[in-house]
Amino acid sequence: MWIKLKKKYDFAESFTRVAKSEPKLFVEIDFVITAGGWEPDLSGQDKIREEIVAGIGEVSLKKWLNVAFAKDRKRALDSLV
């Protein structure tokens, strides 16, 4: 689902982490903004978050969603270390 958003908004890359720990589903997505591409303002970021929540749909777990945007790929990878 977020891969479609990556293409829709022309982000350079995206990194996704998902974990389940009853009673929560943890989802973290980092989008790397394409050089010279669209840089979402806060309203745009919230719109993308809403699209992600809608794409996840109904699950029996509580959702914990974190979405970050970075120009520098290193910032998106920092949380992977």
Side-chain angles (χ1 to χ4, degrees):
M1 189 287 134
W2 32 89
I3 294 173
K4 289 179 184 178
L5 291 176
K6 177 182 156 289
K7 290 179 183 178
K8 177 180 177 179
Y9 293 105
D10 190 32
F11 294 130
E13 295 179 273
S14 64
F15 300 94
T16 306
R17 298 150 208 83
V18 179
K20 182 178 95 169
S21 178
E22 300 289 340
K24 291 184 182 174
L25 175 66
F26 296 90
V27 179
E28 181 174 326
I29 306 167
D30 290 284
F31 290 107
V32 179
I33 295 172
T34 302
W38 176 65
E39 295 182 21
D41 59 14
L42 291 176
S43 295
Q45 291 176 28
D46 286 343
K47 179 182 179 222
I48 292 168
R49 287 182 182 93
E50 289 300 320
E51 290 181 61
I52 292 168
V53 168
I56 293 172
E58 292 295 320
V59 294
S60 61
L61 304 168
K62 292 182 181 182
K63 295 174 223 163
W64 178 282
L65 176 64
N66 184 44
V67 181
F69 301 85
K71 288 183 179 182
D72 184 348
R73 184 178 195 266
K74 181 183 180 311
R75 296 289 162 240
L77 293 172
D78 279 349
S79 60
L80 293 174
V81 177

